[in-house]
């Protein structure tokens, strides 16, 4: 590209630093309105109102071709994916196919329908070698370029130029002359086509839309409703709907028409505003509509995620480019928007993405109406190209900062790491509404990956909930008959907690996977995206080796970090599709230290509640209005909270401790096994007696607790009597306790204590979240199989004896996990993994066990120092590869 001089400065309307309006690199003038644009590897193609196709070089902007291509306005241009065919449609109504290099006219295509009207849009499927065109008469028609039965002579009587025309060839009753057809000497300049194709009357989808078919495109892997490599036609119409069509059928249906278009999706049926332009990015679809509206749709869930008022005029063109959304409108303006997934990492800046779909730049690009645009990269420069009815094509040179950072695979990188790299790049923070589109993108990425690797996939969601979808995938085993195959459910979650970079504690971009000293760093790499990838690629290993006998079912939810809202309803709704389950496996925790492989067999449950006391009065001044006669909400609340716990943190709810399961000899032996490891690793540290350490573990793992989290009051800071005071509390439950009973006991206790206060305020108790405790059976077959897999994968960490030594040493330890990278040099070798419990909660695990009547087991993949939920979250590469090996063994053995 030659050096450019600014023809004229653009007129910026909005610039959000560091984003600036682009530089006008070149203007290409013509004597007719520019209605359509496409860009090839090194050329710009423009279709005009006069029916010409103009071709310029991107290198020096010199004209290369000027072809009279149609008799009337060129409504659409489409370049095939391999850049070998250029398609043009017009209001002739003809579709022409050109060689983009020579501009030889290879084909002319027409319909034999008399009242066809203008052809507004055209698309081409390379897979089926078929041209699709959408018209003014609401139809979509199609023809294969390689169907010899559709070839006719160039002077066919059915050609639009020669067949009887209802208007021009009609005569008055009783005789008279017909209306002369318009003619122009330019018509003689249209090149003769090599081949003429007549569309079969049966290759016609009448009323594809109840309005003009304004725009179409071809995509694949954009939705779970088709196979990964299937081409899908997406069309937008004057009736305000967007439709997705499955392609390829050649049979004749009962209505007498070909089955070449099968409708699989309709979006926007409740909106009559015409769809003028569309663009697809993964499973997201953007539609440009009348009155400056851009809508964002999720093709997997069929939900409208966002509507943006982008312009004052109709949005005639829309594109994704370099991670940004570009739109152009009849108002003469172009806008650049941030999108859900991409965004340049700025370590000192807030990552508050209230910036999602924020207009970063808007400028006036033309004095007339912009009717078309294109984006491209040429000679290392990013270009936005616009065409308008001011008879110009404008080439805009974009600033260098317009390219966001994207995950870059390392050379010769393992495919599991490459997939994990992209997976981590999605900011799937479920607790923050501004990350909603990121979560959908992450789910879409996972669904596409499952599908490409051979899974039968789906995006599951409850009808009446706007929760993030559960990604479902089933990999079928080869053992026959089907009914005899074991079915293993792997549960995980693609959502993550926020990554706060404002304090500068992250040493790398949390959403760009970074390898350092044998570890992978990034938000979610350990919790839970790395383990999901290990399980998935374990399945692919078995499939490639033709050794997958059991069915493996993945259920990956998107709201585990925010209470698994909607998960139960979704699973119950799709229980028949999921099918029966024999075993449940999850990998959502960590070793007890950095050296010793573990198996988790127990988790505490949890109940979160909000306790609120409200006054009938507004906020009052404590000096003017305060007295012993005023019952203050905050005082009432403090007295209630104080009643919940007694000395030594004893929970005062009646019968709270009655149903806790007793400590068995087998469980106590497991604690002794744990102590034998922790005490030996604690040599040289601050000493804690073994019994104290044991009591600490038991208190955290098998004893319940109640915690006061935070208090909130109404009104500003100052000497006020707040009219409203609320507190967040949680109760951690252990096996034997029933969450419903504890919830009822808490509610009754607080209500009684509040009555005892004799206050005229009002008490309300809201239960925010509930999760049952879980206790697995270490003697179950799934645990025994996991133990075998761990022994095999982590040999030589283990010796070949059946159990650990039973006598715990008396040396002490402070109980903290090791951060070292030891290889067990001086430690006693183990006979088996440690069986541990945890104090945290996973809402889904006990629910899945009960729903499918199947045992669950929990494999910790990471180390204690992984810093899950903290800054610089990481996962050791060795742990990731070993986890893949363990999953492979378990999936095969079970």
């Amino acid at each position: 590209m030659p050096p450019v001089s600014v023809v004229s400065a653009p007129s910026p309307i909005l610039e959000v630093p560091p984003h600036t309006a682009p530089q006008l690199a070149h203007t290409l003038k013509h004597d007719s309105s520019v209605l359509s644009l496409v860009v090839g590897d090194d050329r710009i193609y423009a279709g005009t109102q006069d029916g010409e196709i103009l071709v310029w070089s991107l290198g020096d902007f010199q004209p290369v071709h000027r072809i009279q291509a149609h008799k009337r306005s060129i409504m659409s241009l489409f370049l095939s994916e391999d850049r070998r065919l250029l398609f043009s449609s017009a209001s002739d109504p003809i579709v022409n196919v050109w060689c983009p290099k020579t501009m030889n006219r290879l084909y002319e295509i027409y319909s034999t329908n008399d009242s066809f009207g203008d052809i507004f849009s055209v698309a081409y499927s390379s897979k089926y070698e078929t041209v699709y065109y959408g018209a003014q008469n609401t139809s979509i028609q199609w023809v294969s370029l390689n169907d010899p039965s559709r070839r006719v002579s160039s002077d066919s009587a059915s050609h639009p130029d020669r067949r009887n025309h209802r208007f021009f060839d009609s005569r008055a009753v009783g005789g008279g002359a017909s209306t002369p057809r318009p003619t122009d000497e330019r018509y003689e300049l249209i090149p003769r086509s090599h081949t003429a194709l007549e569309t079969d009357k049966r290759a016609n989808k009448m009323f594809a839309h109840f309005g003009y078919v304004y725009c179409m495109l071809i995509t694949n892997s954009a939705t779970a409703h088709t196979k990964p490599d299937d081409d899908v036609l997406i069309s937008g119409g004057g009736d305000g709907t967007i439709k997705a069509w499955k392609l390829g059928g050649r049979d004749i249906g009962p209505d007498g028409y070909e089955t070449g278009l099968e409708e699989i999706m309709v979006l926007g049926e409740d909106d009559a505003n015409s769809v003028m332009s569309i663009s697809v990015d993964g499973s997201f679809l953007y539609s440009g509509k009348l009155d400056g509206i851009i809508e964002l749709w999720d093709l997997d869930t069929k939900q409208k995620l966002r509507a943006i008022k982008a312009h004052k005029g109709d949005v005639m063109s829309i594109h994704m480019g370099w991670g940004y959304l570009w739109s152009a409108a009849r108002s003469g303006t172009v806008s650049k928007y941030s999108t859900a997934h991409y965004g340049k990492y700025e370590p000192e800046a807030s990552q508050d993405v209230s910036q999602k779909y924020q207009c970063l730049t808007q400028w006036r690009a033309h004095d007339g109406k912009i009717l078309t645009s294109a984006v491209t990269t040429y000679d290392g420069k990013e270009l936005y190209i616009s065409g308008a009815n001011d008879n110009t094509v404008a080439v805009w040179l974009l600033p260098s900062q317009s390219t966001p950072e994207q995950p870059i695979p390392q050379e010769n990188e393992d495919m599991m790491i490459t997939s994990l790299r992209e997976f981590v790049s999605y900011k799937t923070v479920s607790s923050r509404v501004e990350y909603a589109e990121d979560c959908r993108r992450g789910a879409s990425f996972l669904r596409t990956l499952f599908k490409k690797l051979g899974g039968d996939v789906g995006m599951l969601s409850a009808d009446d909930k706007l929760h993030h979808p559960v990604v479902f995938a089933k990999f079928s085993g080869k053992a026959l008959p089907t009914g005899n195959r074991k079915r293993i459910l792997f549960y995980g979650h693609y959502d993550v907690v926020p990554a706060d970079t404002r304090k500068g504690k992250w040493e790398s971009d949390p959403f760009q996977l970074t390898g350092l000293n044998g570890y992978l760093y990034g938000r979610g790499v350990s919790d839970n995206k790395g383990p999901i990838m290990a399980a998935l690629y374990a399945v692919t290993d078995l499939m490639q080796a033709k050794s997958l006998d059991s069915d493996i079912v993945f259920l990956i939810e998107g709201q585990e970090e925010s209470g698994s809202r909607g998960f139960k309803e979704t699973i119950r709704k799709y229980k028949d599709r999921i099918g029966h389950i024999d075993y449940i496996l999850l990998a959502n925790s960590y070793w007890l230290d950095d050296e010793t492989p573990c198996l988790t067999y127990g988790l505490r449950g949890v109940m979160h509640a909000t306790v609120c006391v409200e006054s009938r009065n507004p906020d009052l001044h404590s000096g003017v209005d305060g007295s012993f006669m005023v019952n203050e909400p905050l005082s009432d609340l403090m007295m209630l909270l104080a009643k919940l716990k007694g000395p030594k943190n004893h929970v005062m709810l009646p019968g709270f401790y009655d149903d806790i399961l007793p400590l068995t000899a087998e469980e106590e032996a497991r604690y002794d096994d744990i102590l034998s490891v922790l005490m030996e690793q604690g040599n040289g540290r601050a000493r804690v007696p073994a019994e104290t350490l044991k009591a600490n573990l038991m208190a955290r793992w098998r004893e319940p607790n109640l915690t006061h989290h935070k208090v909130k009051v109404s009104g500003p800071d100052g000497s006020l009597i707040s009219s409203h005071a609320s507190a967040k509390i949680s109760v951690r439950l252990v096996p034997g306790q029933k969450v419903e009973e504890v919830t009822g006991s808490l509610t009754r206790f607080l209500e009684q204590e509040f009555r005892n206060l004799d206050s005229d305020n009002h008490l309300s108790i809201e239960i925010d979240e509930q999760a049952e405790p879980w206790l697995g059976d270490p003697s179950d077959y799934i645990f025994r199989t996991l133990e075998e897999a761990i022994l095999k994968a982590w040999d030589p960490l283990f010796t070949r004896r059946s159990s650990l030594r039973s006598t715990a040493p008396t040396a002490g330890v402070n109980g903290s996990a090791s951060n070292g990278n030891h290889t067990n040099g001086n430690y006693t070798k183990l006979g088996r993994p440690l069986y541990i419990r945890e104090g945290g909660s996973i809402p889904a695990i006990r629910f899945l066990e009960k729903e499918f009547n199947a045992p669950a087991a929990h494999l910790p993949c990471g180390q204690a120092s992984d810093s899950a939920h903290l800054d610089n979250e990481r996962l050791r590469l060795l742990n990731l590869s070993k986890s893949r090996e363990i999953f492979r063994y378990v999936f095969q053995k079970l």
Side-chain angles (χ1 to χ4, degrees), residues 9 56 205 273-274 333 444 518 522 570 583 697 733 752 800 849 871:
W56 292 279
K205 178 66 70 174
N273 268 352
S274 298
T333 57
S444 175
T570 301
Y583 300 103
L697 291 175
L733 309 173
Q752 181 58 53
R800 294 299 173 222
E849 268 196 336
D871 299 327

Side-chain angles (χ1 to χ4, degrees), residues 657-821:
Y657 298 95
D658 292 351
D659 296 324
I660 298 174
L661 299 180
L663 179 67
T664 64
E666 292 83 359
E667 184 182 356
E668 187 158 19
R670 295 183 197 115
Y671 283 101
D672 292 337
D673 290 345
I674 294 168
L675 289 176
S676 71
V677 173
L678 294 185
M679 299 299 286
E680 184 164 2
Q681 291 182 2
N683 287 335
R685 303 182 186 183
R687 301 188 172 222
V688 175
E691 287 305 314
T692 302
L693 180 55
K694 182 177 179 179
N696 182 281
L697 291 175
M698 287 186 176
R700 286 188 283 136
W701 293 354
R702 68 174 333 276
E703 296 293 336
N705 190 43
L706 186 148
T707 302
H708 300 135
H709 293 291
K710 62 180 178 180
V711 174
K712 182 180 180 181
V713 296
S714 60
D717 293 339
S719 301
L720 290 178
I721 299 172
S722 298
S723 63
H724 171 107
S726 63
K728 296 283 187 181
I729 64 173
S730 71
V731 182
R732 294 289 172 174
L733 309 173
V734 296
Q737 292 180 304
K738 295 180 174 58
V739 66
E740 295 86 0
E741 292 180 2
V742 174
T743 300
S745 176
L746 173 72
T747 302
R748 290 189 299 271
F749 180 84
L750 289 174
E751 289 174 345
Q752 181 58 53
E753 292 298 330
F754 187 73
R755 285 193 292 269
N756 294 342
L757 295 178
D758 194 24
S759 172
D760 58 358
N761 291 323
H762 173 71
L763 170 70
S764 63
I765 304 165
E766 183 176 345
I767 306 304
D768 303 316
E769 179 188 340
Q770 291 177 313
E772 291 189 68
W774 169 70
L775 187 65
D777 181 1
S779 67
D780 194 276
Y781 181 64
I782 187 172
F783 274 101
R784 299 201 312 270
T785 304
L786 276 165
E787 181 176 316
E788 291 173 9
I790 292 172
L791 291 172
K792 186 174 184 293
W794 286 103
D795 183 65
L797 285 181
F798 300 97
T799 57
R800 294 299 173 222
R801 62 176 188 262
S802 61
S803 65
L804 295 165
R805 63 191 183 191
S806 59
T807 304
T810 57
V813 66
N814 63 3
S816 61
S818 166
N819 288 321
N821 259 337

Side-chain angles (χ1 to χ4, degrees), residues 178-194:
S178 61
T179 303
R181 297 194 184 201
T183 185
D184 191 304
E185 61 183 13
R186 293 176 304 160
Y187 297 171
E188 303 301 320
L189 301 177
I190 300 175
R192 187 180 181 88
S193 66
H194 289 255

Side-chain angles (χ1 to χ4, degrees), residues 313-435:
D314 305 339
V315 182
M316 302 302 294
S317 184
I318 194 165
H319 296 281
M320 279 297 300
W322 313 288
Y324 296 105
L325 179 66
W326 305 83
S327 60
R330 284 180 179 269
S331 55
T333 57
V334 177
S335 294
K336 166 188 170 184
Y337 277 82
S338 62
T339 59
H341 173 37
Y342 303 103
K344 194 172 182 64
Y345 172 61
E346 298 172 6
E348 300 304 323
S350 168
Q351 292 221 8
D352 174 11
V353 265
S354 52
Q355 326 300 334
K356 295 305 170 59
Y357 297 100
Q358 178 190 12
C359 185
L360 303 175
T361 306
Q362 186 177 87
W363 74 95
R364 179 163 298 283
H366 290 265
D367 292 330
K369 300 174 181 178
I370 301 178
L371 304 174
T372 182
S373 68
V375 293
T376 190
T377 299
Y378 179 76
D379 195 25
K381 296 179 174 62
E382 294 155 3
L383 304 175
Y384 183 84
I385 303 171
S386 54
N389 69 346
D390 59 2
N391 303 347
T392 65
V393 173
V395 182
W396 303 91
L397 179 63
L398 302 178
S400 59
Q401 71 264 21
S402 69
T403 304
E405 294 181 4
Q406 301 183 33
I408 302 172
Q410 303 299 312
E411 189 175 359
N412 301 320
E413 186 173 68
D414 182 279
M415 279 305 299
M416 178 176 67
I417 306 300
T418 300
S419 300
L420 179 58
R421 185 178 301 280
E422 183 169 357
F423 197 14
V424 168
S425 72
Y426 295 94
K427 302 179 181 73
T428 52
V429 181
S430 62
S431 61
R432 303 266 291 275
V433 66
E434 61 265 31
Y435 287 97

Side-chain angles (χ1 to χ4, degrees), residues 486-562:
K486 294 294 184 183
R487 305 188 84 246
I488 305 161
L489 169 61
F490 181 89
Y491 163 83
H493 63 94
Y494 60 83
D495 64 321
V496 299
V497 298
D500 187 359
T501 60
R502 289 172 294 185
K503 297 178 182 178
K505 293 183 178 180
W506 276 90
E507 296 178 1
S508 60
D509 181 347
F511 295 103
Q512 294 289 328
L513 192 69
T514 302
L516 179 66
N517 296 332
Y519 284 84
L520 298 172
Y521 288 82
R523 173 57 83 224
V525 66
S526 183
D527 180 17
N528 184 232
K529 294 181 176 182
I532 291 171
M533 290 295 102
L536 171 59
Y537 279 90
V539 174
T540 64
D541 291 342
L542 292 173
M543 292 178 68
Q544 291 173 6
K546 299 181 180 180
S547 299
L548 183 63
D549 294 327
S550 301
D551 290 352
I552 311 299
V553 176
F554 286 83
L555 287 177
I556 312 298
E557 71 156 309
Q559 299 204 195
E560 193 273 344
E561 300 291 7
S562 52

Side-chain angles (χ1 to χ4, degrees), residues 1-4 25-28 42-44 55-64 378-379 383 395:
M1 184 173 175
V4 295
H26 212 88
T27 298
L28 305 169
D42 56 1
R43 294 180 180 183
I44 302 171
V55 185
W56 292 279
S57 167
L58 269 173
D60 54 15
F61 302 118
Q62 293 301 301
V64 179
Y378 179 76
D379 195 25
L383 304 175
V395 182

